[in-house]
């Protein structure tokens, strides 16, 4: 770790406080400021010299240190007492591992800055008629901001119509237009389809969970997948899009149908790591080898995928769950602070993890 002298650390801290808006026109007198920062006058004077060189403050003889660089806060400050509610359809323990990771990272980030994250779950909040349940939930559990994951159109519409402060951990339906953060599913599925097609596969399956009405992200995923095939109109490639309910039993039912008669699919794109496990287990049971007979890609990364062989080909948003939680935290602080969002719809470009589960299409 690179060593930073105490004056540099003090200068950085003063800059952060200016950015937060603690001091606007002038810094406090040096004696008072040294007491506030719990440093010696000598250390503070050295820090002020650094700030002068950076043109952040200008020392004026007999008047003090004027702030000359106007800096807008990157995001408002989270204060103690702010409560954030996480609303999900299932208990957190039943959500996929990646979701649990970013939720824990977000909880830690909020806690560090004085906020509290409380989790609420229930299918009734995501039903076709959730208004009554949502009304009682929000009235009895007031929150500074809500984070909603895996949300239906009806759930999103209620929050929008009631003007309840919220952000979607997912994709907003176009007719609702709530602030959201999600992977760029169009780009991901467009890339995944082209990766498969480039290996000579012609019967390719995209597995999607829930319906487009329930998960707006699946609309984007389907569009990206289809657009990749539209660019290859004359090579006989066949896009197969299958929606199925969550759960291994439902996915296995779909796989049995897909592999019941020839010509059989030679490539599958799954929604996430748990579905990837179900697919490769099914293939092992049927004695189909990966990737020589069937190539498989997971749209999402999960920590347990690193333990599988062959190594799964997959996509990862950012560097890790902390990356996603950090992006989400910034949106939350803007909503709580009632300041304009720099970007209302945040799309994270997925990182392609080239594994060993994709190969050239088997010879016919």
């Amino acid at each position: 770790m690179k060593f930073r002298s105490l004056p540099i650390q003090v200068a950085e801290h003063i800059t952060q406080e200016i950015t937060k808006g603690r001091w606007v026109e002038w810094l406090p007198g040096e004696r008072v400021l040294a007491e506030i920062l719990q440093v010696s006058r000598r250390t503070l004077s050295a820090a002020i010299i650094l700030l002068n060189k950076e043109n952040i403050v200008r020392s004026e003889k007999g008047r003090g240190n004027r702030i000359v660089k106007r800096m807008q806060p990157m995001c408002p400050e989270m204060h103690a007492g702010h409560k954030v509610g996480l609303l999900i359809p299932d208990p957190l323990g039943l959500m996929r591992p990646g979701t649990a990771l970013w939720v824990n990272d977000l909880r830690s980030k909020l806690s560090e800055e004085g906020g509290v994250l409380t989790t609420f779950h229930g299918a009734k909040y995501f039903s076709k008629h959730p208004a009554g349940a949502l009304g009682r939930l929000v009235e009895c559990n007031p929150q500074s901001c809500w984070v909603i994951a895996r949300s239906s159109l009806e759930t999103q519409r209620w929050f929008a119509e009631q003007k309840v402060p919220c952000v979607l951990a997912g994709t907003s339906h176009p007719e609702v237009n709530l602030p959201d953060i999600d992977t760029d599913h169009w780009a991901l599925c467009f890339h995944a389809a082209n990766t498969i097609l480039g290996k000579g596969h012609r019967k390719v399956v995209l597995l999607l969970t829930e319906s487009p009405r329930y998960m707006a992200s699946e609309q984007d995923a389907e569009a990206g997948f289809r657009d990749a095939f539209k660019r290859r109109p004359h090579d006989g490639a066949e896009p197969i899009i299958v929606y199925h309910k969550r759960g291994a039993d439902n996915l296995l039912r779909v796989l049995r149908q897909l592999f019941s008669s020839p010509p059989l699919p030679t490539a599958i794109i799954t929604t996430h790591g748990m579905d990837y496990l179900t697919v490769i287990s099914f293939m092992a049971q049927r004695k189909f080898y990966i990737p020589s007979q069937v190539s498989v890609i997971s749209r999402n990364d999960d920590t347990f995928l690193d333990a599988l062989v062959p190594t799964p080909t997959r996509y990862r948003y950012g560097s890790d769950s902390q990356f996603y939680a950090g992006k989400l935290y910034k949106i939350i602080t803007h909503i709580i602070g009632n300041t304009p969002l720099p970007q209302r719809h945040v799309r994270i470009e997925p990182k392609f993890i080239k594994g060993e589960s994709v190969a050239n299409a088997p010879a016919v």
Side-chain angles (χ1 to χ4, degrees):
M1 182 179 294
K2 186 176 180 181
F3 173 76
R4 295 180 302 159
S5 67
L6 185 55
I8 291 177
Q9 294 179 51
V10 172
E12 290 175 348
H13 180 75
I14 293 173
T15 302
Q16 291 172 3
E17 294 301 300
I18 293 172
T19 302
K20 292 178 182 178
R22 182 175 182 180
W23 303 304
V24 181
E25 297 293 336
W26 296 86
L27 291 180
E30 291 192 16
R31 180 181 61 79
V32 174
L33 188 55
E35 292 178 358
I36 292 173
L37 301 179
Q38 293 293 292
V39 296
S40 67
R41 289 286 299 275
R42 182 174 180 178
T43 297
L44 179 63
S45 296
I48 295 296
I49 291 173
L50 293 173
L51 293 172
N52 273 269
K53 290 181 179 178
E54 294 293 327
N55 200 33
I56 294 173
V57 303
R58 181 173 62 243
S59 298
E60 298 183 6
K61 189 174 182 179
R63 302 191 67 186
N65 297 297
R66 182 191 293 273
I67 298 170
V68 293
K69 187 172 183 179
R70 301 287 184 262
M71 291 174 286
Q72 296 297 322
M74 292 183 64
C75 59
E77 189 174 3
M78 179 72 65
H79 296 289
H82 278 312
K83 298 191 294 184
V84 177
L86 171 67
L87 184 58
I88 51 180
D90 303 310
L92 188 57
L94 297 181
M95 302 289 278
R96 46 180 294 266
T99 300
L101 286 174
W102 70 252
V103 169
N104 286 333
D105 289 332
L106 178 61
R107 178 178 284 112
S108 297
K109 180 65 176 174
L110 288 166
S111 178
E112 289 172 2
E113 302 299 329
V116 177
L117 180 69
T118 305
T119 302
F120 303 87
H121 72 269
K124 60 187 176 182
Y125 304 123
F126 300 86
S127 65
K128 290 184 178 180
H129 304 286
L134 288 172
R136 290 187 291 272
L137 174 71
V138 171
E139 182 179 359
C140 297
N141 302 277
Q143 305 289 316
S144 305
C145 180
W146 287 88
V147 178
I148 313 168
R150 284 187 55 206
S151 51
S152 65
L153 172 60
E154 289 77 13
T155 301
Q156 293 183 15
R157 183 181 286 133
W158 186 88
F159 274 89
E161 291 175 350
Q162 300 301 316
K163 296 182 171 54
V164 177
C166 69
V167 55
L168 304 179
T171 300
S172 173
H173 284 271
E175 60 193 89
V176 176
N177 194 31
L178 288 172
D180 61 6
I181 175 171
D182 206 349
T183 300
D184 189 337
H185 290 282
W186 183 96
L188 188 157
C189 284
F190 182 81
H191 182 273
N194 274 307
T195 299
I196 291 292
L197 292 172
K199 297 289 186 178
H201 294 269
R202 293 298 173 263
K203 192 168 183 179
V204 184
V205 178
L206 172 65
L207 296 172
L208 299 174
T209 53
E210 309 295 351
S211 67
R213 180 176 177 81
Y214 191 89
M215 297 279 287
S217 59
E218 304 297 65
Q219 295 180 12
D220 294 340
E222 180 177 341
F225 185 72
R226 290 191 183 280
D227 286 348
F229 282 83
K230 288 177 182 177
R231 305 214 179 172
R232 300 169 179 261
H234 305 299
D235 61 3
E238 180 185 358
I240 303 171
I241 299 171
V242 180
Y243 284 92
H244 65 91
K245 292 183 178 180
R246 287 176 178 258
D249 290 343
N250 294 313
L251 179 53
L252 286 170
R253 195 174 299 116
V254 166
L255 292 171
R256 292 188 191 105
Q257 292 174 353
L258 288 169
F259 287 83
S260 61
S261 60
L264 304 181
T266 62
I268 298 176
I269 301 172
T270 71
T271 302
H272 50 68
M274 300 300 287
D275 283 357
Y276 184 94
L277 281 180
T278 302
V279 168
I280 64 171
S281 299
F282 173 85
M283 296 303 165
Q285 189 178 58
R286 294 294 183 97
K287 293 183 170 53
F288 287 112
Y289 294 99
I290 296 173
S292 59
Q293 290 177 279
V294 181
S295 292
V296 188
I297 294 179
S298 176
R299 284 167 51 193
N300 285 294
D301 189 24
D302 279 301
T303 53
F304 61 81
L305 292 179
D306 287 327
L308 299 179
V309 289
T311 308
T313 298
R314 60 202 189 273
Y315 292 85
R316 179 179 298 158
Y317 51 78
S319 55
D320 51 28
S321 60
Q322 292 182 351
F323 177 85
Y324 184 86
K327 293 274 189 182
L328 187 55
Y329 173 81
K330 288 183 179 180
I331 299 174
I332 292 170
T333 53
H334 277 285
I335 292 173
I336 290 176
N338 198 28
T339 58
L341 291 169
Q343 193 175 355
R344 189 172 179 81
H345 304 292
V346 178
R347 292 294 174 266
I348 300 173
E349 191 71 24
K351 179 181 179 182
F352 180 59
I353 309 298
K354 186 178 180 180
E356 302 169 334
S357 62
V358 175
N360 291 331
V364 178

